[in-house]
Amino acid sequence: MTDSALKSTSQDSGVQQIVVDEVFHHAPETIWRALTDGALMARWMMQPTGFEARVGNRFTFQTTAAGGWDGIIRCEILEVVPNQRLVYAWRGGHAANVGYGSLLDTTVTFALTSVGVGTRLKVVHAGFDLPRNETAYTSMSNGWKKVVHNLGTIAGQQD
């Protein structure tokens, strides 16, 4: 990893996105494998259930339940361009919850670009509706930076 940045930007009024931009000393194929192999994903982020990098595939992550929410993050693959781009919907929470576990309907985009020293990975988690999603937004702003760092470490073990 040679460059790191965490940015929080406003998409429009009240809607925020988290952006993490990192450069890794690994080929795009190595980063892609870490992004799309469920066993590797479990090591840098969370254990997915039913993950397959295929448009339309639905998979889940399990986290801590709260109130009316069962703790299941429901995802659907929206776009796959091998070694370049992976996009999935990330939905969870419950409408009756306030704070942790509030209703969340977001999108995660991983964009890979080959650069001289390796691969630039830009992660954009978009669609946090504030103030409703303030708790998730704050938690995930820190979380994405950590998991992207972890992704680089796990990818490096695959070279």
Side-chain angles (χ1 to χ4, degrees):
M1 179 172 27
T2 58
D3 185 26
S4 156
L6 173 65
K7 303 172 190 168
S8 300
T9 58
S10 177
Q11 294 177 289
D12 55 46
S13 181
V15 180
Q16 295 286 319
Q17 63 183 11
I18 300 165
V19 179
V20 180
D21 194 352
E22 298 264 2
V23 174
F24 296 104
H25 294 281
H26 311 295
E29 294 80 5
T30 302
I31 299 298
W32 182 257
R33 181 167 180 243
L35 286 172
T36 58
D37 180 303
L40 294 178
M41 187 186 295
R43 294 175 57 198
W44 62 266
M45 186 165 59
M46 290 186 276
Q47 175 70 52
T49 299
F51 179 85
E52 183 181 338
R54 177 179 48 80
V55 172
N57 181 61
R58 294 177 184 220
F59 66 100
T60 60
F61 294 110
Q62 177 69 55
T63 188
T64 306
W69 181 42
D70 57 9
I72 297 175
I73 300 164
R74 291 167 175 79
C75 301
E76 179 178 356
I77 302 287
L78 302 174
E79 184 179 350
V80 177
V81 180
N83 303 315
Q84 295 179 24
R85 189 172 168 87
L86 175 66
V87 181
Y88 50 82
W90 176 293
R91 299 179 180 111
H94 189 276
N97 288 355
V98 175
Y100 180 80
S102 64
L103 193 61
L104 186 66
D105 187 358
T106 59
T107 303
V108 180
T109 301
F110 299 90
L112 291 74
T113 306
S114 182
V115 295
V117 297
T119 303
R120 176 176 297 280
L121 173 65
K122 184 175 183 180
V123 180
V124 178
H125 193 159
F128 293 90
D129 187 6
L130 303 184
R132 182 183 69 198
N133 299 137
E134 184 70 41
T135 300
Y137 175 75
T138 300
S139 173
M140 294 174 122
S141 290
N142 294 321
W144 275 115
K145 189 168 184 176
K146 290 177 188 173
V147 297
V148 168
H149 175 76
N150 293 345
L151 185 153
T153 300
I154 298 303
Q157 295 169 355
Q158 308 307 308
D159 281 338

